[in-house]
Amino acid sequence: MRPEAIKPLEALVGEWEFAASVQGRESARGRTRFEWMEDGTFVLQRADAEPLDEFWAKHSPFPTTSVIGADDGDGRFSMLYSDARGVVRIYEMTLEDGVWNVWREAPGFRQRFVGTFSDDGLTISAHWDRSSDGSDWARDFDMTYTRV
């Protein structure tokens, strides 16, 4: 039986195609899959992509793996992330009212992600931002997810 706190993740479960772009130029295309694990206690995300430009070919994080879960006391989401570069991070997350937020407030390298679901739930328009100080933010890249 799925804990009540994790039910918002149902909006993500399934397979998605995605495209990433940097400064308006498509840089990578790929697929990601979100699936229930541990009898619906967590969601596992795996993603892989083909880089479409030289920068992403050199700096590609793919493949990536994330495990998302919710605290059964306060319902707060956490996401454990790892990628092909050896990067391992812990993010906080919310998913409510059609908006998916992910963020990390590590000193020297803060990140935030905002994804907005279309009304039919078949598309997510998203972007990642980065900041060294938490005050001045710069767009890292844009993403579009399309449900398969």
Side-chain angles (χ1 to χ4, degrees):
M1 189 164 94
R2 242 174 240 133
E4 190 67 29
I6 204 153
K7 288 191 177 179
L9 297 181
E10 290 174 358
L12 292 171
V13 171
E15 192 163 347
W16 301 78
E17 291 180 340
F18 66 87
S21 60
V22 176
Q23 296 177 345
R25 195 173 92 239
E26 190 173 44
S27 301
R29 284 198 159 274
R31 282 187 169 240
T32 189
R33 180 170 189 77
F34 295 86
E35 58 189 302
W36 295 112
M37 59 183 283
E38 300 298 322
D39 296 324
T41 305
F42 301 102
V43 168
L44 173 67
Q45 178 193 15
R46 294 185 189 273
D48 206 353
E50 288 294 321
L52 301 176
D53 66 22
E54 189 175 314
F55 176 82
W56 273 67
K58 289 180 182 177
H59 300 92
S60 174
F62 297 105
T64 67
T65 302
S66 298
V67 176
I68 305 167
D71 184 283
D72 66 358
D74 62 14
R76 291 183 345 178
F77 288 108
S78 293
M79 182 173 79
L80 307 176
Y81 166 91
S82 67
D83 69 31
R85 303 168 298 178
V87 171
V88 178
R89 296 185 177 141
I90 299 174
Y91 293 92
E92 294 182 70
M93 191 184 107
T94 59
L95 183 54
E96 55 193 17
D97 301 324
V99 180
W100 175 23
N101 288 288
V102 179
W103 68 94
R104 176 176 178 261
E105 297 180 3
F109 186 59
R110 292 163 176 84
Q111 294 173 283
R112 65 184 181 197
F113 168 94
V114 178
T116 303
F117 284 78
S118 61
D119 289 340
D120 61 9
L122 300 178
T123 304
I124 305 169
S125 298
H127 65 272
W128 278 97
D129 297 326
R130 68 185 182 293
S131 173
S132 60
D133 61 8
S135 296
D136 296 317
W137 290 88
R139 181 65 48 98
D140 210 358
F141 56 93
D142 295 292
M143 296 185 75
T144 302
Y145 293 85
T146 306
R147 189 178 290 279
V148 175

